[in-house]
Amino acid sequence: DSAPTTALERMALKIFRMHTADAEFEPSTSGAEWWTQVIDAQDDIGFHWDRDYDMQADQGILVHPQLGTVTYLSDVGAPTVVVGHRSQLMASAHNEGEAAGADCCWPRAGRHLSFDGQLLHGAPSELARESIAPPRAECERADQTSSTGKQKASTSEQEAGSGAKGPHSRRVTFLVNIWCNHKPWGAEKLPPKIAQK
C-alpha cells in the first residue's frame, strides 16, 4: 500500500503483479514478502515449507504463501528442488508421507522459477554445480510419471549475464513469496536506514 523506494522493492512489486495479474484479492492484505540470499556455491538449503512463522509460533497453524518464487542472479550452486508434498494445516501434525514427484530448476542468471507455496522445497548441495554447464532441460522433472498438482516450474530466458565461476563463487537469488488475502504477522517494511544504503 505504499510506493517502492528501492530497486529490490520495485522488482518484488513487478514479480507480484506478474503473478497476480488475473487474480482477485484484497490489496490491503496482499503483497510480496522478499529477501535476498547469497551463499557459497556448495552450500545447502535444507528442505522446508515457507509459512507465516509468527502465526505458527502463536497459533500452531501453518499458513503458506500462494506462490513461492526464485529469481536466479548467478549461474552456480544447487538447483531449487520442489517436491510434490504439501504441508499439513497444524504444526503439531506429522508431515510425513510419499511425494508425488519433484521438479528441479538449476541456477541461470535471469531465470525465474515459481511454484505452489504449499509445497516442500530446498536446494540440496549434492546437486550443486560450480560451472555454467546446465543440462539441456534446465528445469526438469525428477519423476516424469508423477504429478505435483498446481505447482509450476517456469523459466525465463531473459539472461541477465553470467555468475561468478570457480570454487569460491556464490549462489545468488532474489526470493519473493506472493501472499493474497493474508499478511504474514511478522512482515515489516525495509527500514529506511537500510533502504538508503
Side-chain angles (χ1 to χ4, degrees):
D1 53 351
S2 61
T5 59
T6 67
L8 291 177
E9 287 177 331
R10 286 190 290 275
M11 186 173 173
L13 181 59
K14 285 184 179 182
I15 290 170
F16 176 83
R17 288 178 174 167
M18 177 178 72
H19 288 291
T20 60
D22 298 322
E24 293 184 11
F25 56 88
E26 173 53 50
S28 65
T29 56
S30 304
E33 172 192 27
W34 64 269
W35 66 102
T36 60
Q37 198 165 62
V38 180
I39 61 174
D40 287 339
Q42 293 299 322
D43 281 352
D44 188 81
I45 299 172
F47 282 93
H48 63 282
W49 287 275
D50 290 345
R51 56 201 182 272
D52 184 334
Y53 292 95
D54 286 9
M55 178 177 274
Q56 175 185 348
D58 188 71
Q59 301 291 318
I61 300 172
L62 302 176
V63 177
H64 306 278
Q66 273 64 36
L67 290 176
T69 76
V70 180
T71 302
Y72 297 99
L73 303 177
S74 67
D75 297 325
V76 298
T80 303
V81 178
V82 183
V83 180
H85 185 63
R86 293 180 184 279
S87 170
Q88 301 290 331
L89 176 61
M90 303 303 295
S92 58
H94 293 287
N95 272 309
E96 299 174 353
E98 294 184 10
D103 289 305
C104 300
C105 189
W106 271 266
R108 172 67 64 90
R111 172 169 290 138
H112 180 74
L113 165 71
S114 65
F115 55 92
D116 186 325
Q118 295 183 47
L119 294 178
L120 183 68
H121 58 284
S125 58
E126 295 85 359
L127 300 178
R129 61 166 65 100
E130 294 182 4
S131 64
I132 55 168
R136 194 74 188 134
E138 292 164 338
C139 284
E140 59 188 30
R141 277 303 277 182
D143 179 359
Q144 295 291 343
T145 63
S146 301
S147 170
T148 53
K150 295 181 180 178
Q151 120 183 22
K152 178 182 178 184
S154 61
T155 60
S156 171
E157 295 305 331
Q158 300 168 1
E159 302 299 338
S162 301
K165 303 174 185 67
H168 303 294
S169 57
R170 302 283 191 260
R171 181 185 192 268
V172 184
T173 51
F174 182 65
L175 303 114
V176 178
N177 282 340
I178 308 297
W179 293 88
C180 293
N181 303 320
H182 177 80
K183 180 181 177 182
W185 287 11
E188 297 179 3
K189 291 184 178 181
L190 187 67
K193 286 185 178 181
I194 296 177
Q196 292 171 2
K197 291 185 177 183

